[in-house]
Structures are given as C-alpha cells and as structure tokens.
Amino acid sequence: MEAEVFHKALQMMDVLCLILEEGVVRFANGKAQTTLGKKLLGQQIKEDLLQSQTPFVKWKSFNIGRYTVCLGTDVSHEKSEIQRLKGELEKRREFFATATHEIRSAANSILGYLALFVDEEIKLAHREELAQKAYSAALRLSALVNDLLDYVRIEEGAKELEDEPLKINSMLHEIVEDLKGYAFRKDVELQVPSVGENLTILGEKKAFCRVMRNILDNAIKFTSVKEKGEKRVTVSFSEEEQGISITVHDTGIGIEPEKLPYLFEPFISYSPGGTGLGLALSKKLIELMQGEIAIRSAGTDKGTTVELWFRRAGVEK
Ligand SMILES: Nc1ncnc2c1ncn2[C@@H]1O[C@H](COP(=O)(O)OP(=O)(O)O)[C@@H](O)[C@H]1O
Ligand SMILES: [Mg+2]
C-alpha cells in the first residue's frame, strides 16, 4: 500500500499524531498542528515535556524502529466536567456550612432560654414566658431541619411525589382555616374565593399544601410589616386548557428588582428570623409536580405577586 494512503488516513484521524525521529518532528497531522499551534515539521520536541505543554491532551507514545509515534486524545471535555463538578462541590460545601450555622444558632437560642429558665433568680411568672419562647424556638428548629432534609433529598433526586388528582377547593379551605388566625393577629385581610368543587390538579397533597402555606405565610408576613396603607392578601384562580393558575397577590412591602433573581436560591432571606428556605423548597416541590412558579413585584411598597401553575387532572396529553 502506498505511503500516501497512511499519510491521508493520519490526517483524517480525530487524534493528534506526531511522528518523531530522534526528537525531531517528521510528521504532524492537521489536528496536532492546530492544537500545538505552531509549525512543527523539523522542530525538536521533548517528548517528556509534551504533556505539560498540552494539559488538555492525553498522550500515548510508542516506538517503531527509530521513530516515535505520539498519539494524543483531546480531553478538554473531561476537564470542563471536572470544573463543573468542582463548582457543584463548592456549592454543596457552602450549603452545608450555612445549614450547620443555621441549626447551631437555632439550638443556641433554645439553650439560651432554657439557661435563663433554670436560673434560680428568675421569677416564676417570667419562667412561663421563657418556656413559651424555648418552645417556639424548638418548633422553628424542627421546621428548619425538616425543610433542610427535604431540600437535600430533592437535590439528590431521592424524593418522589405521588401524582394524584387533588381538589383545590377543599385543600385551600383547610390551609386558610389554619392561617386565618395568624392573618387576623397580623392585621392582614385574607381573601380566598371558593372555586368549583371539581377543579382538580395533579400533584401530591402534602407538597401542594406545603407550597401554598409557604407562599401565603410570606404574603401575610411581608404585608403585615408594612407601615401604612391597606394590608390585603388575595388569591385568585384561572382555568386553562392544560392547567390551573393560582395567583397570590399582596399589598405588602414588595421586592426590589435586584433581589428578584435570587429569591429561589436556598438561604436567601431578607427577613429577620427567616431561613430563606421557603421559596427554594417550594420551587423544588412544584417542579417535582411538573408545575411552575414565578414571583414578581414592581418594587418597594408596591406589593408582590406569586404565580403558580399546576397541571389539570383528567386532561389527555
Ligand atoms: N410576598 C412577599 N413580599 C415581599 N417579599 C417576599 C415575599 N415573598 C418572598 N419575599 C422575599 O423572598 C425572600 C425569601 O423568601 P423565603 O424563601 O420564603 O424565605 P423567608 O421567608 O425565610 O425569608 C424573603 O426573605 C423576602 O425578602
Ligand atoms: Mg418564607
């Protein structure tokens, strides 16, 4: 067979190919020329330095008579995968550092109240208040740990949800019953109209209720802290062919535009005592139910609107 055929075949190969004779390049295919970026023929190349000069290439070499054939595979995609994994690892490290910090401060606040409680100098009447505070702090810690565990399980792909038809009306009714007292104490009017008994979405009841509670809790909390003006939270629905939109609108303190893109990240909270896990977890749960969530606000004191979308039950795909 003619040498020209080998020559052409080597040119077409997807690997880098160099043939050296006593360290001098006698042949370099196109891929080697472009990767090494210089005129190679006749150049002296130190075989042991080749690897360090080309970090994104994995070289193998073997001798045939007085020639050394060096074949290099482009591994830059592996490097970018390593880079991606490193970023992922760093994100996780940060997540666990913040999570541990949050748990420690919650535990410390319980310990603080209990230390005062057992202090003999503290009056009996005051003790009751301290026990109440320790109890509330313990509830917060337990909610935090539950949210964290769920968030991590979803991130790891270990959490699966039921996919069942859920009647919105009765579920919302239950949630509103729970939150009515809270809204009243916070001087916020809560308006949730009834929807058709048979309006049904697909998802898991526990997850749906958790999401709605988080969103309504935020709406009430961030409306109650407003200094003046009306304080109202309104829920509305709109039926579409494939799904159902639920809109939670409040007349509260609103959100600055620069904060909007980060609200679904874990631990992003702009409220004292907030964990910043509510929206992050809600988004994950909604995505597991193949729904959507978006939050918008025209700015400080302009109120906030959260838009949720769920698949409708009984709709053929
Ligand atoms: N209805 C709302 N009105 C104003 N700000 C909101 C509203 N909902 C969410 N936010 C903003 O999003 C942040 C993240 O919310 P969330 O994840 O529930 O955390 P948290 O409630 O613990 O602060 C809040 O700290 C707040 O700044
Ligand atoms: Mg919240």
Side-chain angles (χ1 to χ4, degrees), residues 78-275:
E78 282 176 24
K79 298 270 172 183
S80 61
E81 181 60 9
I82 290 170
Q83 229 43 47
R84 192 188 66 75
L85 287 173
K86 271 191 182 160
E88 196 85 346
L89 210 63
E90 180 56 22
K91 246 171 76 184
R92 291 220 150 198
R93 204 193 55 74
E94 257 174 45
F95 180 92
F96 283 107
T98 319
T100 342
H101 172 81
E102 292 286 330
I103 292 172
R104 193 176 54 189
S105 24
N108 278 347
S109 88
I110 302 173
L111 282 176
Y113 292 130
L114 292 179
L116 284 173
F117 183 89
V118 293
D119 185 337
E120 282 167 10
E121 310 247 305
I122 297 284
K123 292 203 177 69
L124 202 61
H126 199 50
R127 283 215 174 116
E128 199 170 310
E129 186 192 330
L130 286 169
Q132 197 57 46
K133 283 187 170 159
Y135 178 63
S136 304
L139 283 181
R140 274 203 302 280
L141 174 59
S142 151
L144 167 69
V145 171
N146 280 336
D147 282 356
L148 278 172
L149 285 176
D150 275 345
Y151 188 85
V152 170
R153 281 179 60 215
I154 297 176
E155 281 259 283
E156 285 173 354
K159 191 171 171 82
E160 281 182 14
L161 297 185
E162 302 283 329
D163 200 28
E164 52 196 6
L166 307 171
K167 291 195 172 169
I168 295 191
N169 204 40
S170 56
M171 284 188 305
L172 272 180
H173 196 72
E174 274 176 39
I175 298 167
V176 170
E177 274 307 305
D178 278 358
L179 286 173
K180 238 164 47 184
Y182 172 56
F184 182 76
R185 283 197 305 280
K186 295 277 181 180
D187 199 21
V188 175
E189 187 188 341
L190 185 56
Q191 285 188 342
V192 186
S194 282
V195 283
E197 266 308 317
N198 292 324
L199 205 56
T200 314
I201 57 162
L202 282 174
E204 184 184 282
K205 183 173 178 190
K206 223 169 117 197
F208 174 85
C209 292
R210 196 144 173 210
V211 169
M212 286 312 297
R213 244 187 216 116
N214 280 345
I215 304 300
L216 286 168
D217 177 77
N218 277 348
I220 297 168
K221 175 168 70 173
F222 294 110
T223 301
S224 71
V225 290
K226 199 170 115 171
E227 277 174 10
K228 50 184 189 298
E230 64 168 350
K231 296 184 181 179
R232 190 175 341 117
V233 173
T234 323
V235 180
S236 55
F237 304 90
S238 104
E239 290 180 50
E240 296 162 18
E241 206 181 313
Q242 299 288 327
I244 289 166
S245 289
I246 306 178
T247 306
V248 178
H249 176 72
D250 66 61
T251 60
I253 57 166
I255 303 167
E256 289 95 320
E258 60 274 18
K259 288 181 183 165
L260 283 171
Y262 307 105
L263 301 180
F264 293 111
E265 302 272 321
F267 304 121
I268 296 291
S269 171
Y270 301 101
S271 88
T275 60

